[in-house]
Amino acid sequence: RSCVGFEDDLALWHAAVRDAPDSAFARQALGEQLVDRGHTSEGAAELERAAALSPDPAFQHAVTST
């Protein structure tokens, strides 16, 4: 399944992070896509960035527990 205007979900979230680098949501989604595709260390780094960007402790816990 692909997103309209993007090759796939990974391309969508790469573009979202490029356009909104301070978005915890976009970084979380990109991190999850990377992990799902086997890019574990790169995905974990994005998830850590997402946690660092969010002031919400519950979000931080959820992201780093993935």
Side-chain angles (χ1 to χ4, degrees):
R1 187 186 110 180
S2 65
C3 298
V4 175
F6 294 94
E7 182 180 322
D8 57 19
D9 290 345
L10 184 59
L12 167 76
W13 292 115
H14 269 294
V17 167
R18 181 193 67 229
D19 294 343
D22 293 332
S23 170
F25 180 78
R27 288 201 177 270
Q28 177 190 9
L30 176 58
E32 290 172 354
Q33 288 294 315
L34 289 165
V35 169
D36 288 350
R37 287 170 169 73
H39 302 282
T40 310
S41 52
E42 189 179 352
E46 288 297 337
L47 293 171
E48 288 293 326
R49 287 185 196 110
L53 288 167
S54 176
D56 180 6
F59 180 85
Q60 292 169 351
H61 177 74
V63 169
T64 56
S65 298
T66 302

